[in-house]
Amino acid sequence: MSEEDGKKLSKVCPVILKPGGERAWSLEIASNSPECRDALKEIYGNLGPESRKFLSKRLVVDDAELRKLVDESE
């Protein structure tokens, strides 16, 4: 994810950068707003397959609808 993508996501989705367990870092997304879903779709649409997998492994999502979006984007 580019720095610009990260800034866009953090403007419409509250995200928390956390230390990761298996990975060095993770992003926790707590909001399920339409703007957040649209931003995630746009970001995933601009990434290649390996980058989508990389990002999906680092996103921590508790909301079932957002989890489905992330899982389908892998």
Side-chain angles (χ1 to χ4, degrees), residues 18-45:
K18 301 174 96 174
E22 296 176 22
R23 296 159 195 90
W25 58 270
S26 62
L27 281 178
E28 182 176 346
I29 300 176
S31 172
N32 183 13
S33 67
E35 295 85 9
C36 184
R37 289 191 303 274
D38 290 345
L40 281 172
K41 287 177 188 176
E42 183 178 337
I43 289 168
Y44 274 110

Side-chain angles (χ1 to χ4, degrees), residues 1-17 27-29 31 33 35-36 39-40 43 59:
M1 173 175 7
S2 72
E3 186 175 334
E4 183 178 319
D5 287 340
K7 287 180 182 178
K8 179 175 184 171
L9 182 60
S10 66
K11 284 182 183 177
V12 295
C13 291
V15 294
I16 302 166
L17 182 63
L27 281 178
E28 182 176 346
I29 300 176
S31 172
S33 67
E35 295 85 9
C36 184
L40 281 172
I43 289 168
L59 287 177

Side-chain angles (χ1 to χ4, degrees), residues 55-69:
L55 180 58
S56 295
K57 290 178 181 178
R58 284 170 165 61
L59 287 177
V60 176
V61 181
D62 290 332
D63 183 83
E65 188 175 351
L66 283 178
R67 174 51 45 201
K68 183 178 176 187
L69 177 95

